[in-house]
């Protein structure tokens, strides 16, 4: 049995990568707190901290292919403008973000979250 670890997934049930990430966590014996971020978006400060803690640039954490990205003319936006847009339009937040006691990762690719989970051989 793996050691207990607190985990939170910023989840969109309509996203296959998000569903697969949730299943991977459960397969590892972790029942995460599920935040449906489209209904309960993080605050700007929470989002900025997660992005920073994941080692990402703000632009790496935004869904540039979403229609609203183009509608808001975000191609040349500053990090502050991108964060504001993501909080106002949570569909722009790249998913899923996973937060554990060991760090934060964007599960793209899915294997990224293995870096913030206890090792399988932990006893």
């Amino acid at each position: 049995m793996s050691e207990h670890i607190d985990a939170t997934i910023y989840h969109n049930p309509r996203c296959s990568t998000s569903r697969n990430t949730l299943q991977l966590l459960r397969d590892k014996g972790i029942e995460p707190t599920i935040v449906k971020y489209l209904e309960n978006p993080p605050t700007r400060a929470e989002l900025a901290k997660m992005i920073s803690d994941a080692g990402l640039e703000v632009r790496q954490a935004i869904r540039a292919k979403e229609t609203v990205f183009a509608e808001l003319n975000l191609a040349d936006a500053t990090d502050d403008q991108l964060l504001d847009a993501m909080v106002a339009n949570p569909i722009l937040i790249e998913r899923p973000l996973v937060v554990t006691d060991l760090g934060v990762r964007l599960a793209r690719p899915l294997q990224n979250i293995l870096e913030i989970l206890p090792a399988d051989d932990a006893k």
Side-chain angles (χ1 to χ4, degrees):
M1 179 110 194
S2 56
E3 64 187 81
H4 175 74
I5 188 164
D6 286 327
T8 301
I9 181 172
Y10 287 80
H11 183 57
N12 179 346
R14 297 184 63 199
C15 170
S16 62
T17 301
S18 197
R19 291 191 308 269
N20 292 338
T21 301
L22 178 58
Q23 188 59 54
L24 175 66
L25 289 168
R26 289 176 170 160
D27 289 348
K28 297 281 186 185
I30 298 166
E31 185 55 44
T33 299
I34 298 170
V35 176
K36 293 182 180 174
Y37 70 91
L38 294 177
E39 300 165 17
N40 265 325
T43 66
R44 189 182 193 283
E46 289 168 338
L47 181 61
K49 182 173 182 357
M50 281 191 288
I51 292 169
S52 173
D53 289 354
L56 298 172
E57 298 294 325
V58 174
R59 195 162 290 282
Q60 293 173 291
I62 195 163
R63 296 181 61 82
K65 293 181 182 169
E66 289 292 334
T67 307
V68 70
F69 183 89
E71 290 171 351
L72 295 174
N73 298 312
L74 295 175
D76 297 318
T78 65
D79 285 356
D80 282 337
Q81 291 168 327
L82 292 175
L83 282 168
D84 289 342
M86 292 161 83
V87 170
N89 303 277
I91 192 69
L92 289 171
I93 299 170
E94 187 61 273
R95 59 186 178 254
L97 283 162
V98 177
V99 180
T100 75
D101 303 333
L102 302 175
V104 181
R105 292 292 180 275
L106 176 62
R108 288 183 180 272
L110 178 64
Q111 293 73 21
N112 282 354
I113 67 164
L114 298 177
E115 299 169 3
I116 58 168
L117 300 179
D120 283 335
D121 57 5
K123 300 278 185 253

